[in-house]
Amino acid sequence: MPAPWNYSTGEPVRRGDVVTLGRWPGVVVDLITEAHPDWREATGEGVMFEGSDFGRLLADLIGPDVRLVRRAGSD
C-alpha cells in the first residue's frame, strides 16, 4: 500500500495542497485508498489532482516532478 504519499522533500501530501506537476499548476483534490468511496479495483489507490491544463489525474506514485507550492489555507 503506497499511502501515505510524500513529496520528494519528504513532506506528506495533503488534500487541498497547491502543487505543480511539471510545469502545470494543480491542486490535490483527494487521497484515494481502499477505504475511500471512490476507490475502484481497476484504478487502485492514488492521489487525485485537478488542474485547468490536465483536468483530473489519479497518480499512484509521486515523483520529483510533483512539487508542493503551498499548503491549503496558507495564503
Side-chain angles (χ1 to χ4, degrees), residues 12-37:
V13 175
R14 295 184 186 156
R15 187 178 299 119
D17 284 352
V18 176
V19 297
T20 56
L21 286 80
R23 61 188 174 121
W24 299 307
V27 175
V28 175
V29 176
D30 219 340
L31 305 174
I32 309 296
T33 64
E34 284 189 39
H36 193 280

Side-chain angles (χ1 to χ4, degrees), residues 5-67:
W5 294 273
N6 294 311
Y7 298 104
S8 60
T9 58
E11 297 172 276
V13 175
R14 295 184 186 156
R15 187 178 299 119
D17 284 352
V18 176
V19 297
T20 56
L21 286 80
R23 61 188 174 121
W24 299 307
V27 175
V28 175
V29 176
D30 219 340
L31 305 174
I32 309 296
T33 64
E34 284 189 39
H36 193 280
D38 291 338
W39 181 83
R40 301 289 179 266
E41 187 173 350
T43 55
E45 298 181 322
V47 177
M48 180 69 70
F49 298 100
E50 187 173 86
S52 59
D53 293 314
F54 56 85
R56 283 196 165 207
L57 172 71
L58 179 65
D60 61 343
L61 299 173
I62 304 298
D65 57 328
V66 178
R67 295 178 187 234

